[in-house]
Amino acid sequence: MAAQKVLCDAIVIGAGIQGCFTAYHLAKHRKKVILLEQFFLPHSRGSSHGQSRIIRRAYLEDFYTQMMDECYQIWAQLEHEAETQLHRQTGLLMLGMKENSELKTIQATLSRHRVEHQYLSAEELKQRFPNVQLARGEVGLLEKSGGVLYADRALRALQDAIRRLGGQVHDGEKVMEIKPGLPVMVKSTSRSYQAKSLIITVGPWTNRLLRPLGIELPLQTLRVNVCYWPEKVPGSYGVSQAFPCFLGLDLSLTPHHIYGLPSGEYPGLMKVCYHHGNNADPEERDCPEAFSDIQDIQILSRFIRDHLPDLEPKPAILEHCLYTNTPDGHCILDRHPKYDNIVIGAGFSGHGFKLAPVVGKILCELSMKVTPSYDLTPFRMSRFPGLGKAHL
């Protein structure tokens, strides 16, 4: 019996946060959209699972702060549509040495975009957050609009919205083959599809789908430890105590940033993580613990001992998340150089969740061949030389 062939306007492969927002925007434009996901939902194999993510306007680059304005609006709109809380404003506290160039640049970016923020001297920090211990010369920058996004809840709300708007979500369907053309053909483990456009948002699996299409992007997959640390007194670092999300920017202490969210997901435990990880194969679900995993946890233990004295310096829960990093830390939002009805969103480098409402809008615009709402220069794949165009 011949395999069933399904016709639609657009296929989105990958039901993480970027794929979900892309399908959501397409469905809002009344496009017949099908969202394909290789695993059964919900799952914890990619980059979008877990209960919480940080949302912030604080960035070094103006273009992200500008994008975040609209992101906040779309998050609020989705929250209204879903009739469920997806976001909690806690503030974001950035810690760094007084002369830290990143801290100064972020402060300048926030000022330029008129984002409410407050510089806090060591004395002011001590008064405001007595359970944060500072290194000599450390100061703070508090962004008032920073907060927590409820990640799992947001994914469910989006998948429900896509269905409500007439789109389809097919999970447990792995894509086996893509045949470029007009229409583009996609063959999954269950059936075959034809669509006017295809959007690929599959994180660490991106190059597996792109190699047969003649390109390979410079993506590195990292497995990151997500650690939860016990409070000595439950709730002392909680949202009920008005404790903010935080970002440790002092790179003299660690080569990468450390970030944390107030306790809440697991009662009495605070999420504090190192913004880096170890090379990973996404197909290897349970990699053995690497020596560098232990080193990363030691870095966090030291930071907690020195900065958050009311936490136990030993994690109670250890989970994992995958980052798909580009060499410059900026994502790729672009069309395939040869097949302009194939659109790619990849390489979100561990900071893409909060940006997904606008990323999804841009990927939707690229697939509909309308002028993108934002300047895509920082996100074009042509910024990386030698992408295998010789094979095209």
Side-chain angles (χ1 to χ4, degrees):
M1 193 174 112
Q4 181 189 359
K5 197 163 279 183
V6 183
L7 305 172
C8 59
D9 293 316
I11 292 169
V12 180
I13 308 176
I17 195 67
Q18 312 299 344
C20 281
F21 260 116
T22 304
Y24 169 79
H25 284 292
L26 283 160
K28 286 223 156 195
H29 280 94
R30 301 213 167 107
K31 299 294 176 190
K32 187 181 177 190
V33 61
I34 296 173
L35 178 61
L36 298 181
E37 169 54 52
Q38 63 175 323
F39 302 115
F40 288 103
L41 295 168
H43 70 82
S44 58
R45 297 288 298 272
S47 307
S48 295
H49 61 280
Q51 294 178 51
S52 63
R53 296 291 186 281
I54 291 176
I55 185 167
R56 60 186 163 103
R57 287 183 168 92
Y59 264 101
L60 293 165
E61 301 86 0
D62 285 277
F63 54 81
Y64 286 129
T65 302
Q66 186 194 349
M67 288 164 85
M68 281 310 302
D69 255 356
E70 190 178 4
C71 286
Y72 272 91
Q73 291 168 31
I74 299 172
W75 278 118
Q77 181 189 318
L78 178 65
E79 198 169 49
H80 176 72
E81 290 168 8
E83 297 178 346
T84 185
Q85 188 184 4
L86 303 177
H87 162 247
R88 180 161 188 161
Q89 189 173 334
T90 62
L92 171 73
L93 176 65
M94 289 153 278
L95 297 172
M97 289 297 168
K98 196 172 186 175
E99 62 280 3
N100 183 296
S101 61
E102 270 191 271
L103 204 60
K104 287 178 174 174
T105 305
I106 289 169
Q107 188 173 8
T109 307
L110 293 175
S111 297
R112 261 195 311 278
H113 291 271
R114 296 189 171 86
V115 176
E116 197 184 345
H117 64 284
Q118 188 182 359
Y119 175 88
L120 296 169
S121 67
E123 293 72 32
E124 290 167 322
L125 267 171
K126 202 166 248 131
Q127 277 185 328
R128 189 86 175 264
F129 305 110
N131 51 358
V132 175
Q133 210 164 274
L134 299 174
R136 188 187 291 276
E138 249 182 336
V139 295
L141 187 64
L142 184 67
E143 183 214 320
K144 304 284 180 72
S145 57
V148 178
L149 287 170
Y150 299 122
D152 284 349
R153 236 185 259 178
L155 282 170
R156 274 197 307 275
L158 279 167
Q159 288 153 14
D160 290 346
I162 291 160
R163 293 186 186 102
R164 203 169 52 244
L165 291 162
Q168 295 176 43
V169 181
H170 294 185
D171 60 351
E173 269 193 53
K174 186 174 180 175
V175 169
M176 305 308 288
E177 189 184 4
I178 297 166
K179 281 189 187 164
L182 203 61
V184 61
M185 313 260 292
V186 175
K187 192 176 171 197
S188 80
T189 42
S190 303
R191 49 182 86 82
S192 292
Y193 300 89
Q194 286 187 355
K196 292 173 191 168
S197 67
L198 170 67
I199 303 96
I200 297 171
T201 55
V202 293
W205 289 272
T206 300
N207 281 325
R208 186 182 74 80
L209 293 185
L210 290 184
R211 267 184 221 112
L213 302 177
I215 56 171
E216 183 153 357
L217 300 178
L219 301 173
Q220 180 190 26
T221 301
L222 298 179
R223 189 183 75 149
V224 176
N225 296 309
V226 180
C227 304
Y228 295 85
W229 309 77
E231 294 169 303
K232 290 174 182 174
V233 177
S236 51
Y237 290 104
V239 281
S240 59
Q241 295 296 310
F243 197 79
C245 296
F246 76 84
L247 199 51
L249 299 175
D250 190 359
L251 300 183
S252 66
L253 295 174
T254 61
H256 304 277
H257 295 153
I258 288 171
Y259 67 92
L261 293 86
S263 62
E265 286 178 59
Y266 296 113
L269 299 178
M270 185 181 183
K271 180 175 174 177
V272 182
C273 308
Y274 191 42
H275 193 55
H276 192 60
N278 303 297
N279 284 324
D281 177 348
E283 298 297 345
E284 298 283 327
R285 185 169 186 173
D286 299 307
C287 317
E289 192 172 53
F291 174 64
S292 40
D293 277 331
I294 299 159
Q295 281 183 314
D296 290 355
I297 292 165
Q298 283 171 346
I299 286 169
L300 288 170
S301 290
R302 254 194 323 272
F303 179 89
I304 282 164
R305 199 184 57 231
D306 296 343
H307 285 82
L308 303 167
D310 293 343
L311 289 183
E312 299 286 356
K314 191 171 181 228
I317 294 176
L318 182 59
E319 296 173 347
H320 296 106
C321 179
L322 294 178
Y323 282 10
T324 310
N325 287 9
T326 60
D328 61 8
H330 304 314
C331 61
I332 293 164
L333 308 174
D334 210 345
R335 292 194 185 96
H336 189 288
K338 187 174 178 186
Y339 312 113
D340 73 349
N341 63 335
I342 297 178
V343 173
I344 300 150
F348 294 94
S349 305
H351 65 109
F353 201 97
K354 70 185 88 59
L355 291 158
V358 163
V359 165
K361 180 183 178 180
I362 290 167
L363 295 174
C364 168
E365 289 168 341
L366 287 171
S367 79
M368 288 167 60
K369 301 203 167 115
V370 300
T371 307
S373 304
Y374 293 82
D375 175 13
L376 297 188
T377 307
F379 310 120
R380 296 211 181 277
M381 64 175 80
S382 56
R383 72 189 193 270
F384 301 117
L387 289 178
K389 287 186 187 176
H391 305 301
L392 296 173

